[in-house]
Amino acid sequence: MTSASEIVMSKPSNRASLKSASSTRKALHDVLAGMEPVADNSAQLSGPPLDYTFRDLRTVTDVCKCDPRDGPVQYVKVEVESKEPMEEILFDEENDTKNKEPVHFYKYSTKAIRLSNNAISNLDSLNTGMKAILENPESVEWIDLSFNNLSKIDDVILDYPNLKILYLHANYITDLKQIHKLAALPHLKTLTLHHNMIEDMKGYRQYVIGALPQLQYLDFSRITKADRSKAQVWKTLKLIESTHKRKAKVAA
């Protein structure tokens, strides 16, 4: 297992062990999450989606232990630094000799991240992981969590109010009612939930469309006017059915 004291340096494949003069050590992801840009990068353009697919991630903070996959477009990196006073001694991982070269730390500038095809079972560390590798995680518009081991839709997703695209297909979500929390994401236009257990539930598509009127695409299929009409009819019928059941229960 990679030590939690490893710090990602300027070159993607170059890593070093960090020892602090302080007896208190922080986990790698906490150290990186606390780092801030060296300069104002507000005018800088965002780069391509950050690709951490097929990295055998168990938690989101595992992104700190590996590099994103290279793509056709180069990633946009932003130099960051720690605001905390740290007397750092850097050692080369291979021969444990002092590294004399200056060390620079970076985060990525992007509005999209791909975490699909891993083994993530919960999103407890999502915020920390995102802060550790992204310059501005709050600006993220697309998160791909498909093909993982998620069993629920975590409330932490709501910490990304600019989210437009959310992929959750091919997981283990069983409670259809959990989608209601996504109504708090006003910009969410594309959602995938297929290949979860909820897909087999009666009225699945109508239920999701009725609960999340801001959606334009569900499971890679455009939501039509006919879809919305069916969702409204289905919702009305379910309300009538629910009312009848309550009355019958009271009468009994």
Side-chain angles (χ1 to χ4, degrees):
M1 180 179 293
T2 306
S3 169
S5 64
E6 283 191 349
I7 298 294
V8 179
M9 299 168 60
S10 57
K11 294 182 180 180
S13 60
N14 186 20
R15 298 178 182 275
S17 297
L18 179 150
K19 295 182 180 180
S20 174
S22 170
S23 60
T24 303
R25 292 190 179 186
K26 289 186 177 181
L28 168 62
H29 47 263
D30 288 326
V31 173
L32 293 174
M35 291 187 175
E36 299 178 5
V38 173
D40 180 14
N41 300 289
S42 57
Q44 181 171 272
L45 297 176
S46 293
L50 205 54
D51 189 355
Y52 283 97
T53 60
F54 297 100
R55 286 306 196 203
D56 195 30
L57 307 179
R58 306 292 171 167
T59 66
V60 179
T61 49
D62 283 346
V63 295
C64 300
K65 301 176 182 179
C66 59
D67 303 312
R69 293 182 176 277
D70 292 330
V73 181
Q74 189 174 10
Y75 292 123
V76 176
K77 296 193 294 183
V78 176
E79 186 174 359
V80 295
E81 63 183 359
S82 174
K83 296 301 180 181
E84 297 180 11
M86 296 177 65
E87 294 179 344
E88 299 166 351
I89 302 175
L90 296 170
F91 291 89
D92 182 86
E93 196 176 46
E94 294 182 357
N95 53 30
D96 201 36
T97 58
K98 191 169 183 178
N99 188 339
K100 297 181 180 180
E101 296 183 1
V103 178
H104 301 280
F105 306 105
Y106 294 90
K107 292 186 181 182
Y108 296 92
S109 178
T110 182
K111 293 185 177 181
I113 182 168
R114 300 182 62 195
L115 299 167
S116 62
N117 292 280
N118 284 294
I120 300 171
S121 59
N122 65 71
L123 299 180
D124 294 347
S125 63
L126 179 63
N127 284 348
T128 302
M130 297 282 267
K131 289 178 182 178
I133 59 173
L134 300 182
E135 176 202 13
N136 185 14
E138 292 80 12
S139 68
V140 167
E141 298 179 354
W142 174 32
I143 300 178
D144 183 358
L145 287 161
S146 61
F147 293 95
N148 274 289
N149 298 328
L150 300 174
S151 60
K152 66 176 184 178
I153 301 175
D154 201 293
D155 290 348
V156 72
I157 290 293
L158 304 183
D159 291 339
Y160 302 88
N162 295 304
L163 207 57
K164 295 180 179 179
I165 303 173
L166 177 61
Y167 290 172
L168 291 170
H169 58 277
N171 276 282
Y172 296 91
I173 300 170
T174 58
D175 186 358
L176 190 54
K177 293 181 180 179
Q178 289 200 355
I179 67 165
H180 285 279
K181 63 186 67 176
L182 299 179
L185 296 173
H187 304 293
L188 186 63
K189 303 301 180 184
T190 299
L191 174 67
T192 63
L193 292 166
H194 57 288
H195 296 310
N196 279 278
M197 295 180 184
I198 56 176
E199 185 185 20
D200 297 326
M201 296 181 179
K202 185 178 181 180
Y204 154 76
R205 185 172 177 83
Q206 290 82 5
Y207 187 97
V208 176
I209 294 173
L212 305 174
Q214 75 272 37
L215 290 183
Q216 294 180 358
Y217 291 87
L218 175 61
D219 298 337
F220 300 123
S221 175
R222 186 172 184 83
I223 298 173
T224 64
K225 290 183 179 180
D227 287 329
R228 296 192 190 281
S229 296
K230 289 179 182 178
Q232 186 58 47
V233 171
W234 186 88
K235 186 176 182 179
T236 301
L237 291 175
K238 294 300 290 184
L239 286 173
I240 294 173
E241 180 183 339
S242 178
T243 301
H244 286 168
K245 286 183 178 180
R246 284 199 302 270
K247 288 182 177 179
K249 187 174 181 180
V250 171

